[in-house]
């Protein structure tokens, strides 16, 4: 199958799973097809898929990744000992683990083509990630608490693992408890990473998007918590602060000088 044929196959397969979309026409342009495919990935409930579907999906997503290009941690220059700042798409970063800013259901973002990192990670990891998260949550039996962390394989992402953590939602004034919970997100991820033998980890800007944590305060907490952990534990783990916006890039540049 060509890349386009794989995309059409995946769209048809996902449409067939949901009777309400049975009569939906597949767009003719590649851009619209990609948008529809991502939307169908996003709304799909956590369940297993056939071996053929997974084979085609995995090949397709690897081709998408190749087209976007992979950035390896070995190509980055540290801003300080063991600390890196990298601006880019975290779904294209090759290191041991990346951190996902999850919601309390831990199942990814169900909003079609939403711009959050949770949506992107689940989209480009493939449907296996939502299924794996659902299995973890079924075993747990309750919503994921704020400030904790879970680990899954990364499936079609270039990293080996995804660490999932739920950050605090800021409503109105920033509270001391919000800051403590955000620091707990970073500590929990670092502790779980260390326990799992992870040597390099990339953090997104947890809670700063849809959860409304002030960017500068969040960055200060992130850097200080990571520095404290590395110092207190004598850990040699490499930590990447991943940013996507110029605002966050400027903030972290100053903090890591």
């Amino acid at each position: 199958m060509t890349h386009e044929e794989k995309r059409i196959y995946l769209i048809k397969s996902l449409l067939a799973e949901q009777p309400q979309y049975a009569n939906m026409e597949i767009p003719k342009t590649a851009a619209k097809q990609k948008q529809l495919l991502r939307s169908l990935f996003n709304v799909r409930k956590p369940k297993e898929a056939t071996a053929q579907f997974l084979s085609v999906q995995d090949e397709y997503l690897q081709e998408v990744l190749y087209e976007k290009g992979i950035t390896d941690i070995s190509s980055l220059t540290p801003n300080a000992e063991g600390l890196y700042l990298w601006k880019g798409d975290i779904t294209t970063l090759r290191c041991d683990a990346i951190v996902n800013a999850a919601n309390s259901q831990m199942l990814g973002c169900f909003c079609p083509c939403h711009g959050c990192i949770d949506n992107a990670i689940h989209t480009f990891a493939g449907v296996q990630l939502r299924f794996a998260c659902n299995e973890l949550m079924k075993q747990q039996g309750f919503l994921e608490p704020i400030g904790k962390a879970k680990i899954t394989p990364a499936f079609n992402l270039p990293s080996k693992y995804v660490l999932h953590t739920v950050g605090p939602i800021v409503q109105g004034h920033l509270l001391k408890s919000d800051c403590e919970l955000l620091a707990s997100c970073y500590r929990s991820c670092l502790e779980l990473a260390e326990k799992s033998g992870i040597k390099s980890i990339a953090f997104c800007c947890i809670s700063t998007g849809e959860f409304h944590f002030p960017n500068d305060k969040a960055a200060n907490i992130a850097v200080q918590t990571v520095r404290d952990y590395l110092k207190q534990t004598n850990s040699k783990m490499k930590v990447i602060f991943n940013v996507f916006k110029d605002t966050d890039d400027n903030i972290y540049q100053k903090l890591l000088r």
Side-chain angles (χ1 to χ4, degrees), residues 1-44 52-54 56-57 60-61 113 127:
M1 276 192 262
T2 66
H3 188 65
E4 182 181 2
E5 287 169 341
K6 290 169 189 169
R7 184 166 60 242
I8 297 297
Y9 168 85
L10 294 172
I11 290 173
K12 287 182 176 179
S13 298
L14 292 168
L15 288 174
E17 286 185 343
Q18 307 193 53
Q20 68 269 36
Y21 301 138
N23 298 319
M24 181 179 287
E25 290 187 9
I26 298 176
K28 301 216 181 306
T29 67
K32 291 290 186 181
Q33 289 172 7
K34 291 175 184 177
Q35 185 178 39
L36 175 58
L37 178 57
R38 180 164 182 165
S39 297
L40 291 169
F41 276 142
N42 296 157
V43 300
R44 186 180 189 269
Q52 183 179 0
F53 178 90
L54 292 177
V56 176
Q57 176 212 244
Y60 180 82
L61 290 175
C113 297
V127 299

Side-chain angles (χ1 to χ4, degrees), residues 42-239:
N42 296 157
V43 300
R44 186 180 189 269
K45 300 298 182 185
K47 57 183 176 180
E48 292 186 282
T50 66
Q52 183 179 0
F53 178 90
L54 292 177
S55 177
V56 176
Q57 176 212 244
D58 293 354
E59 287 181 14
Y60 180 82
L61 290 175
Q62 288 303 306
E63 290 165 4
V64 170
L65 177 60
Y66 178 80
E67 185 179 339
K68 290 194 291 187
I70 296 172
T71 299
D72 195 286
I73 185 174
S74 63
S75 69
L76 304 182
T77 302
N79 294 62
E81 187 176 358
L83 302 180
Y84 299 73
L85 174 61
W86 181 68
K87 182 182 177 187
D89 178 355
I90 201 170
T91 67
T92 66
L93 182 61
R94 180 182 284 136
C95 58
D96 282 354
I98 62 171
V99 174
N100 178 32
N103 57 49
S104 58
Q105 286 184 305
M106 291 281 286
L107 298 180
C109 171
F110 282 86
C111 183
C113 297
H114 192 256
C116 70
I117 196 165
D118 198 15
N119 187 293
I121 286 174
H122 274 266
T123 297
F124 296 108
V127 299
Q128 301 99 311
L129 182 56
R130 180 167 284 168
F131 181 77
C133 288
N134 189 54
E135 292 299 293
L136 285 176
M137 296 309 288
K138 282 198 300 185
Q139 292 170 18
Q140 179 163 286
F142 52 88
L143 294 176
E144 182 70 2
I146 297 171
K148 303 299 183 182
K150 292 279 190 295
I151 188 169
T152 65
F155 299 101
N156 286 289
L157 300 174
S159 58
K160 297 176 185 176
Y161 303 99
V162 178
L163 288 152
H164 308 261
T165 189
V166 182
I169 300 174
V170 176
Q171 299 173 324
H173 295 295
L174 183 66
L175 304 176
K176 182 182 179 183
S177 58
D178 296 325
C179 298
E180 291 170 345
L181 286 168
L182 183 60
S184 180
C185 288
Y186 285 91
R187 276 196 308 274
S188 294
C189 286
L190 290 165
E191 289 167 359
L192 181 55
E194 201 86 61
K195 182 180 176 182
S196 304
I198 287 166
K199 304 299 182 186
S200 58
I201 183 172
F203 283 101
C204 62
C205 300
I206 302 166
S207 279
T208 58
E210 297 294 313
F211 287 10
H212 308 298
F213 208 108
N215 296 57
D216 55 343
K217 302 281 188 185
N220 269 284
I221 291 169
V223 172
Q224 191 60 54
T225 304
V226 168
R227 279 180 164 154
D228 288 347
Y229 176 86
L230 296 179
K231 183 178 180 181
Q232 291 164 6
T233 63
N234 291 317
S235 173
K236 301 302 180 185
M237 195 184 312
K238 296 178 180 178
V239 178

